[in-house]
Amino acid sequence: MKNGGQVKMPDIAPEELSPRISWALISDPYVACHKEAGYEFATIASFRKGELYEIKGNRTIIVDKGEKDEKKELWYAIEEGWVPSSTVKIYSNKLKAEKARESLK
């Protein structure tokens, strides 16, 4: 072996592989980030396709109360605010999310 039998490990921060931390990859061209979970709340930031954010939590909200059933939608909390699940793709670790981001280009 040329390297003396030693394996070179990449520099990876623990949070990049932690199973307790999920990551949101913005999948729509433009995503409005709201102050709270719901379209009726103020837009406080905007994101572009390919941006990556750590998920802090989630909430299911009722978006339409029909006669027979309710339409619900899942929202994710990130550091800046809340985004609807339909605008992001979720990954179980940062390395997977970064690899997916590369395929968007």
Side-chain angles (χ1 to χ4, degrees):
M1 292 185 179
K2 292 182 180 181
N3 62 2
Q6 296 196 9
V7 176
K8 172 96 168 116
M9 296 297 291
D11 293 330
I12 300 174
E15 66 272 6
E16 292 183 5
L17 293 174
S18 174
R20 295 183 187 149
I21 301 173
S22 294
W23 296 85
L25 176 63
I26 304 297
S27 57
D28 282 5
Y30 171 85
V31 174
C33 179
H34 297 267
K35 185 173 183 172
E36 295 291 332
Y39 297 105
E40 68 275 15
F41 295 101
T43 299
I44 56 174
S46 61
F47 305 123
R48 300 257 182 233
K49 186 175 185 174
E51 293 179 357
L52 191 61
Y53 298 94
E54 181 181 335
I55 295 175
K56 304 292 185 179
N58 64 62
R59 180 180 301 158
T60 300
I61 64 165
I62 298 170
V63 291
D64 184 25
K65 291 184 179 186
E67 283 186 27
K68 295 184 179 183
D69 57 359
E70 299 173 331
K71 183 178 176 188
K72 297 179 181 178
E73 187 174 50
L74 179 64
W75 284 64
Y76 289 104
I78 56 177
E79 190 170 324
E80 290 80 1
W82 292 83
V83 294
S85 63
S86 61
T87 63
V88 297
K89 293 187 184 212
I90 307 303
Y91 294 91
S92 60
N93 66 56
K94 192 173 183 181
L95 292 179
K96 287 181 182 178
E98 288 175 341
K99 186 173 182 178
R101 178 171 49 187
E102 291 301 315
S103 70
L104 289 177
K105 295 180 181 179

